[in-house]
Amino acid sequence: MNEKFIIFLPTDWNSSISIIISGLATFTVVVYGFYAKISRDVLGKMVLAVNIADLAFCLIMLSVHVYSGSTGFYCKAIQAMAHCSLLYSLFWGTFFGHAFYTLVKHQTTLVIEKSYRYYMAISSVCSIGLSMATFFTNYSEYDSHLDACVHFVQFGELDVTLILFSQVPITCVTVMGTYWYIRAAYLLNGNEGNLKVKNPLTLLVYPGIVIVCWLPVNLVSTLIGFGITPSRFVDLFTKNLYELQGFFDAVVYGITPLMRKCSQRERRAVEEAGYDQSLVVGGHNITPMLTDGDAEFTDEEPKAVSPSFE
């Protein structure tokens, strides 16, 4: 047999455990984000963008347990929507790297405000464009024997659609995210910025998420193209791992900064009032950055600073 398949939308619950975990985590961040109105801050908008995209991906993946179509049109349409939300999340995660670099360089979030419209345009055009293109290819097809939406791989042949729509975009956003984090680290190590970071390894959080979640499943897909079939355990493990990206994004960009901010405010309340005081979290902005220490920034207007993607 010279053909293998990759199930894009698994209908068994064992393959959906990670999706459920990610869905619950992103749902928590999104609900709290709207409740606390974190969108008033540009970084809060970015947090919501990442987690809404991850939540949309989880809901689309879980929708097959409610209704699963049995036509090629359904598979192409549902896969295009899932792919769009996934790429959208990956692009916004990369923009956190650029925002971090910009913040270190200019010491103000006002510059990020100016870059925000570019983030919106690039993520929307690229994710929607690539996803719509998959609809007109054999990237996703319906298999009547499996009653599932799959991607067929021909052994020994170059899988153009998988490389173009999956591996190339994921590799590009990982490289760009890593590039901006490294540039930010260079500025910090050269004392060109005043932002203090207790643990420089936090700069690698986002690239680490993408590498950990996506490298194994991409390797498995590549091996399948060369005629090497992974074991059931390896296949299930790698799929569940990449589906945990939403959970990691929620923890890094939402839950952890919220817990840190709450802890800091409780500590300050105790120090100022001299007694334990309840914390009302509603209505407070979250300013999540990939740091372990307190970061102090000024809101002074930068002098003739324009968004830069250098």
Side-chain angles (χ1 to χ4, degrees), residues 26-67:
T26 54
F27 177 78
T28 300
V29 174
V30 170
V31 169
Y32 176 81
F34 281 112
Y35 170 74
K37 300 178 181 179
I38 66 174
S39 59
R40 292 177 295 184
D41 178 82
V42 64
L43 296 175
K45 293 178 183 177
M46 295 176 66
V47 169
L48 284 176
V50 169
N51 284 279
I52 288 175
D54 286 332
L55 179 59
F57 176 75
C58 293
L59 293 177
I60 293 170
M61 294 292 288
L62 291 174
S63 68
V64 297
H65 296 289
V66 179
Y67 172 78

Side-chain angles (χ1 to χ4, degrees), residues 223-250:
L223 291 176
I224 291 176
F226 285 100
I228 302 174
T229 303
S231 66
R232 170 63 177 169
F233 172 79
V234 171
D235 184 55
L236 189 61
F237 176 78
T238 55
K239 286 180 179 178
N240 276 276
L241 188 60
Y242 94 78
E243 291 169 353
L244 278 174
Q245 181 184 335
F247 170 76
F248 293 135
D249 284 344

Side-chain angles (χ1 to χ4, degrees), residues 108-140:
T108 176
T109 58
L110 295 177
V111 184
I112 303 177
E113 289 276 5
K114 296 179 179 181
S115 298
Y116 182 77
R117 62 178 181 271
Y118 293 102
Y119 297 160
M120 285 289 295
I122 294 172
S123 60
S124 299
V125 170
C126 291
S127 58
I128 294 175
L130 286 171
S131 300
M132 289 182 63
T134 66
F135 187 84
F136 301 100
T137 68
N138 61 350
Y139 186 66
S140 180

